[in-house]
Amino acid sequence: MLHHTRTRIIDSFITALQTVAPETQATPTLERPKQAAHGDAACNIAMQLAKPLGKNPRQLAQELIDAMPDNPYIAALEIAGPGFINIRLTDAAKQSVAQTVIEQGEAFGSADTHAGERVMLEFVSANPTGPLHVGHARQAALGDILGSVLSSQGYSVHREFYYNDAGQQIANLAISTQARAKGLGVDDPSFPADGYRGDYIMDIAQAYLAKETVNGVTAKGDVDDLDAIREFAVAYLRNEQDLDLNAFGLKFDEYFLESSLYTSGAVEQTVARLIENGHTYEQDGALWLRTTDFGDDKDRVMRKSDGGYTYFVPDVAYHINKWNRGYHKVINIQGSDHHSTVSRVRSGLQAANLGIPNGYPDYVLHKMVMVMKDGQEVKLSKRAGSYVTLRDLIDWTSKDAVRFLMISRKADTEFVFDIDVAVSQSDENPVYYVQYAHARIHSILEKAGIEVKSTDATTLAPLTAPSEMALLQQMSQYPDTLAVAAHDLAPHHVVYYLKDLAGAVHSFCGGNERVLTDDLALKTARVHLLTAARIVLENGLKLLGVSAPNRM
């Protein structure tokens, strides 16, 4: 239901309350009935107020109905169950959706509910030690599309990529590249035991020996200079990851280096603050943080006996940095294997005693992806050596398919990416199903030859058939879908919605209600209906970063 329709109906309930129960301060709300047959909306205000007013809820519901003023949006009010008031909208109210869509165009579905609020999304954040894998692909889709959903509700969204460019994995990258540059094969007994064996390591080694310049770093070509190899290898892989993200249509506002937390002294300052606040202790030569003070199941090591910090310490320093930059709403999108990170980081932030609220930051944890082709699991690609990459998925299918399918399930559920489905031109492929609905509309409108610039209630009045009403009803749910997706941090709601909208389009186009009819008034009304449906499809697909083709 559109906002203005909901507001007008709620205003009528408020007027009725002023007559029936003038002393109440309660505000009526509307919800969607669980069964469509029960009406277009429902209100439980009678059940809510019955006990305080000492009345039977069904009796109170009837009194409210009797006191309701005339409303052009309400066709009927019915009492159901213990006291629900079911609301049926007039045809004019339902038809007005098409007018609103056509008038608002690209803005339809957007709201300024959270205007002025800043939010940081941190996602992908891959180690620069290899190509982006399918888990990163799911994370890239979740993060980027969630950012678009939040922007649609007025948030000022900042997308950030955190480069883990410090630690043992970077050291392994350097010695792997060095071994390849020295001519060692991956099966050579001298090849590092923890080294990376994908073909991409050989590419880096060859570029290093050729003294190429990548991302502003020029290779020295000296196979004995491990620091130079490390610097070049990181720059090379950062560039490779950037190319993959560009192919995915994703741009970050900022790339933050883990190493900067050490060089700036932020890590040492964070540790000193935690010690000063009395939340640490020494045991077995290591420094521990008493995270059990903040609900963790056990205390955690901060500084190991060898003097190195565990990975969550720079994470705490990084989130203090986020807070100090003014990002008081932060959402981290990570794999479900980071579950233990949540309590550690939040405990560290509470121990820092900087006024950061409990529960900061928010997390969206996603499960990993299984890739299938020809009924078999695909476990690796030659380039990566041990896993399927984001670029593999794009090359095998398309950017549109990867973006759409990767958020077609809730983040915390397992997901199977079926290559055969993703490239099929059939209803089994949800990307094709939705895009074809748009192309189908374009074809019909092209044949109709009626230009639509604006519309009014008179033009839309002939739209009364069940398939027309179903399509109008589906379009009306788009703004609420975006609001819920933003509130729940659940962009999969948009995919579910678009599939339902496409279904309503296909039902209408394949039904008995022909658009190219000799009845000019009816033809014009249906052209306006499909024009509105096309706008909503385009808006939704654009939000996903997916194309809306006119022909397929």
Side-chain angles (χ1 to χ4, degrees), residues 173 177 200-209 232-233 236-237:
L173 170 67
T177 305
Y200 69 95
I201 296 295
M202 191 65 204
D203 295 339
I204 301 171
Q206 290 174 344
Y208 179 78
L209 291 172
F232 180 78
Y236 187 99
L237 284 171

Side-chain angles (χ1 to χ4, degrees), residues 2 63 67 110 132 149 214 221 313 326 330 333 349 363 386 435 474 548:
L2 294 185
E63 291 178 11
S110 298
L132 300 174
V149 169
V214 180
V313 177
V330 167
I333 300 169
L349 292 173
Y363 284 87
S386 58
Q435 289 180 320
Q474 196 62 45

Side-chain angles (χ1 to χ4, degrees), residues 356-371:
I356 298 174
N358 193 15
Y360 176 95
D362 290 317
Y363 284 87
V364 174
L365 300 181
H366 68 89
K367 292 192 176 176
M368 298 305 282
V369 180
M370 178 188 294
V371 180

Side-chain angles (χ1 to χ4, degrees), residues 164-181:
N164 302 92
D165 64 336
Q168 187 57 46
Q169 290 176 312
I170 299 298
N172 290 341
L173 170 67
I175 60 175
S176 303
T177 305
Q178 183 182 51
R180 283 301 223 163

Side-chain angles (χ1 to χ4, degrees), residues 247-279:
F248 189 72
L250 172 54
K251 291 185 179 180
F252 284 90
D253 298 299
E254 187 164 349
Y255 291 89
F256 193 99
L257 301 181
E258 179 188 5
S259 58
S260 71
L261 296 168
Y262 290 94
T263 56
S264 68
V267 171
E268 291 292 347
Q269 290 166 18
T270 298
V271 172
R273 185 174 187 89
L274 296 177
I275 293 173
E276 181 183 342
N277 288 342
H279 294 292

